[in-house]
Amino acid sequence: MTAVKIIGAVVGTTVLAFSLDHIISDRKLFGGTTPSTVSNKAWWQETEKRFQAWPRVAGSPVVMNPISRQNFVVKSRDE
């Protein structure tokens, strides 16, 4: 009896959340429009190309000590 109520509540909550999300976000209940940067495929592809061309430069690796919460630079044994 209790499992039926829990399962029913979970299903009901899921249906309610999905329907409210659809009405508010997709059907624009409170107005507004979708930005062109989201709906324009050419803009998205150009942005992705620029992100992939970005130079990948990183500093030395850092390991966090969870006990003292301090960052220490990891050095190889050669140094």
Side-chain angles (χ1 to χ4, degrees), residues 24-35:
I24 292 171
S25 299
D26 298 337
R27 297 197 181 234
K28 306 286 185 201
L29 177 67
F30 299 113
T33 58
T34 302

Side-chain angles (χ1 to χ4, degrees), residues 30-60:
F30 299 113
T33 58
T34 302
S36 64
T37 56
V38 174
S39 60
N40 187 352
K41 298 276 184 195
W43 185 90
W44 180 252
Q45 290 171 350
E46 186 65 27
T47 303
E48 187 63 28
K49 277 197 281 187
R50 289 183 184 208
F51 273 133
Q52 294 305 323
W54 197 273
R56 307 282 180 180
V57 180
S60 58

Side-chain angles (χ1 to χ4, degrees), residues 4-23:
V4 173
K5 289 181 181 180
I6 293 173
I7 292 171
V10 169
V11 170
T13 304
T14 303
V15 168
L16 180 66
F18 178 78
S19 61
L20 287 175
D21 178 59
H22 177 71
I23 291 169

